Amino acid sequence: MSARTTGRRERLRQATLEEIHAAARKLLVEQGSAAVTVNAVAREIGVSGPALYHYYSGHDELVGAVTAGFFRELAGAMEQARDAQAGAPIAERLLAVCRAMRAWAIGHPAEFGWIFASPITPPNLRRDSARHQAALRFEQILLDLTVELWRTRQFPVPDLAGLPESQREQLTAFSDVIGGVLPPEAVHVFLSCWIRLYGLLCMEVLHQLDFVYTDLEPVFEECLRDLAGLLDLDYSRT
Amino acid sequence: MSARTTGRRERLRQATLEEIHAAARKLLVEQGSAAVTVNAVAREIGVSGPALYHYYSGHDELVGAVTAGFFRELAGAMEQARDAQAGAPIAERLLAVCRAMRAWAIGHPAEFGWIFASPITPPNLRRDSARHQAALRFEQILLDLTVELWRTRQFPVPDLAGLPESQREQLTAFSDVIGGVLPPEAVHVFLSCWIRLYGLLCMEVLHQLDFVYTDLEPVFEECLRDLAGLLDLDYSRT
DNA sequence: GAGACCGCTTAGAGGCATTAAACGTAGATA
DNA sequence: TATCTACGTTTAATGCCTCTAAGCGGTCTC
């Protein structure tokens, strides 16, 4: 059957793609970002360098695809944590997802480094890429939980009247982008939380706090407690 | 005079070093991180590639030296802002320094990118480098102001009793490192502020918030207002 | 004035990204 | 079934990069 045989080719191709990703990841983890070269990846899977150009148009696209994979894995870990708490109160699900995010980041620092500071700079980064899609899925997880919280219990929101016009416009615009499931005021709270949570992780993984902290787990938990306070949720330690 | 002639050589060397830094910076700003190669820098200043090895032992050291220069420039901008407000209340000096920090970061995104996420990863980064020295000077500025604030007016501090043992130890250790000018409780507050301030800037410059904000100036001001609240300071807009 | 030294050059090895061209084989097709 | 085709691959080649080695002329020191 032609479908079957075509399927076979396709399967082989997928297998090779997975080999490529695994090799790239191995190089990244073991030898750092700079070691992930087209040639090195090819060597790792036992083919000549140019062979990889049948799978990716070049180094940047390869890196982008691998990074997208990391993003998906991170999002998957967070979703799994969320689903493991399926019946639990929203507070616990939110905390579980945040902790899963950090756990993955700490467990995979090199990969997380690529996620938010990949060697490919913005101009070379297309907005329609798989990488971008994966980023959206990642952001969606905490957004969804926040929306659920908003719908069921709401949470305290600031008065936007005191904010500059431009900021209010941006918050309203984002509220529209997400279909109005959160009003601009709630978007503001969501973003505040996002910034503090993600910002802390960035600093940790980029070693910006090494000068004082060797273990940031308690700091992260403090951050979570603060955020729980902002969202009027019960904070409970693991 | 021998001092004079030796001085001449030294002067020429310094001039060349400055040319190297300027060329590297130009390449970074105009063509991105990857464009800063030893060869390209050499080409830019009109010498052959290997000539640069008389100034730096290799690509990494060159990047480190250039980054240290950026650090010094950033610290200088912050110090200048501080000194411009020499007579003003501490609150205004603190705010001015923070705003100067962001202003420099926004005005020099590529350079700031190297400051906190340089292409040279930690293993290749020696702790005794000029880069590290410059980082210390940078951190010292806000630390000094915080110390002054603590000495003159103090600020609310949390009870450390509720924190995990390991965290208290780390805070105490850092308190010792800085000669006890801040007690562990105050160190905690200082670090909370530092994390929120610097974390926000990192996210901004790494384009992690592009999906919603095109202008983060109001967000930064909100952050400053929060921090002023933490430190029991009057917040005043520019 | 002679020797040491400095800053530079060219030459060269080895690696990487990428393109082009050639080749064999597995699937598709008549 | 025999042939065509397209795919996955290889080798060759270009041009860039890092870095080392060797050589050369001017400059500083004594």
Side-chain angles (χ1 to χ4, degrees):
Chain A
M1 273 183 230
S2 82
R4 176 92 141 276
T5 44
T6 317
R8 185 179 116 80
R9 266 239 252 262
E10 193 53 33
R11 246 183 349 264
L12 285 176
R13 190 180 178 81
Q14 289 307 321
T16 307
L17 280 171
E18 275 175 36
E19 259 193 289
I20 292 171
H21 284 216
R25 183 176 195 158
K26 183 180 172 205
L27 288 166
L28 169 65
V29 169
E30 293 179 359
Q31 303 176 55
S33 199
V36 186
T37 67
V38 173
N39 281 340
V41 170
R43 220 169 14 241
E44 197 78 18
I45 67 172
V47 298
S48 71
L52 290 200
Y53 286 79
H54 275 265
Y55 297 89
Y56 294 109
S57 72
H59 180 260
D60 287 5
E61 198 178 297
L62 191 160
V63 169
V66 172
T67 307
F70 296 159
F71 246 127
R72 284 192 296 268
E73 190 176 309
L74 169 58
M78 291 166 68
E79 285 166 352
Q80 196 178 325
R82 177 196 61 194
D83 298 340
Q85 306 276 327
I90 181 116
E92 290 184 23
R93 277 178 287 151
L94 262 169
L95 290 172
V97 166
C98 293
R99 289 184 180 123
M101 174 165 143
R102 176 166 185 271
W104 193 91
I106 300 308
H108 308 86
E111 292 92 329
F112 194 75
W114 269 21
I115 280 184
F116 67 80
S118 97
I120 314 305
T121 41
N124 298 342
L125 222 167
R126 292 212 321 252
R127 199 161 289 284
D128 61 331
S129 59
R131 154 92 185 271
H132 192 247
Q133 290 307 111
L136 290 180
R137 173 179 158 202
F138 164 60
E139 288 153 6
Q140 195 70 30
I141 300 172
L142 280 173
L143 180 58
D144 282 347
L145 283 170
T146 308
V147 169
E148 179 188 337
L149 175 63
W150 178 255
R151 277 209 281 249
T152 59
R153 301 184 26 196
Q154 308 238 332
F155 45 78
V157 294
D159 182 8
L160 264 41
L163 298 182
E165 178 64 21
S166 77
Q167 191 178 8
R168 251 177 302 153
E169 276 169 18
Q170 294 181 75
L171 293 172
T172 305
F174 188 69
S175 173
D176 290 343
V177 165
I178 59 176
V181 289
L182 287 182
E185 292 84 0
V187 167
H188 182 273
V189 174
F190 168 71
L191 289 173
S192 301
C193 295
W194 177 253
I195 289 171
R196 287 185 57 180
L197 199 65
Y198 197 49
L200 176 57
L201 271 188
C202 289
M203 294 188 73
E204 177 172 11
V205 179
L206 281 180
H207 298 101
Q208 293 300 321
L209 297 170
D210 286 359
F211 71 100
V212 47
Y213 284 120
T214 57
D215 173 23
L216 277 156
E217 196 265 344
V219 179
F220 189 76
E221 288 296 328
E222 274 191 282
C223 180
L224 288 183
R225 179 164 25 194
D226 281 358
L227 301 190
L230 281 180
L231 295 174
D232 200 20
L233 291 173
D234 288 331
Y235 166 82
S236 58
R237 200 74 203 269
T238 321
Chain B
M1 271 183 233
S2 80
R4 177 92 139 274
T5 44
T6 317
R8 185 178 113 80
R9 266 240 254 261
E10 194 53 33
R11 247 187 344 268
L12 284 177
R13 189 178 179 82
Q14 289 306 322
T16 307
L17 281 170
E18 275 175 37
E19 259 192 288
I20 292 171
H21 284 216
R25 182 176 195 158
K26 183 180 173 206
L27 287 166
L28 170 65
V29 170
E30 293 179 358
Q31 302 176 56
S33 200
V36 186
T37 68
V38 173
N39 280 343
V41 170
R43 218 164 20 235
E44 196 77 18
I45 67 172
V47 298
S48 71
L52 288 201
Y53 287 80
H54 276 264
Y55 298 88
Y56 294 110
S57 73
H59 179 260
D60 286 5
E61 198 177 297
L62 190 160
V63 168
V66 172
T67 307
F70 296 158
F71 247 127
R72 284 191 296 269
E73 190 176 307
L74 169 58
M78 291 164 69
E79 286 165 352
Q80 196 177 326
R82 177 195 62 193
D83 299 340
Q85 307 275 327
I90 182 116
E92 289 184 25
R93 275 179 289 150
L94 262 169
L95 290 173
V97 166
C98 294
R99 289 183 180 124
M101 175 167 141
R102 177 166 185 272
W104 194 90
I106 300 309
H108 308 86
E111 292 93 327
F112 194 74
W114 269 21
I115 280 185
F116 67 82
S118 97
I120 314 304
T121 42
N124 298 342
L125 220 167
R126 293 210 322 250
R127 199 161 288 285
D128 61 331
S129 58
R131 154 92 184 271
H132 192 246
Q133 292 306 111
L136 290 179
R137 173 179 158 203
F138 164 60
E139 288 153 7
Q140 195 71 30
I141 300 172
L142 280 174
L143 180 58
D144 282 347
L145 284 169
T146 309
V147 169
E148 179 188 337
L149 176 62
W150 178 254
R151 277 209 281 249
T152 57
R153 303 185 25 196
Q154 308 234 335
F155 45 78
V157 294
D159 182 8
L160 263 42
L163 297 182
E165 177 65 21
S166 76
Q167 192 178 8
R168 250 178 303 153
E169 276 169 18
Q170 295 181 71
L171 293 172
T172 305
F174 188 69
S175 173
D176 291 343
V177 165
I178 59 176
V181 289
L182 287 183
E185 292 84 1
V187 167
H188 183 274
V189 174
F190 168 70
L191 290 173
S192 299
C193 294
W194 177 253
I195 289 170
R196 288 184 57 179
L197 198 65
Y198 198 48
L200 177 57
L201 272 189
C202 289
M203 296 189 71
E204 176 172 11
V205 179
L206 281 180
H207 298 101
Q208 293 300 323
L209 297 169
D210 287 358
F211 72 99
V212 45
Y213 284 121
T214 56
D215 174 23
L216 277 157
E217 197 266 343
V219 178
F220 189 76
E221 288 297 327
E222 274 191 282
C223 179
L224 288 183
R225 179 163 27 191
D226 282 358
L227 300 189
L230 281 180
L231 296 174
D232 200 19
L233 291 173
D234 287 331
Y235 165 82
S236 58
R237 201 72 203 267
T238 320

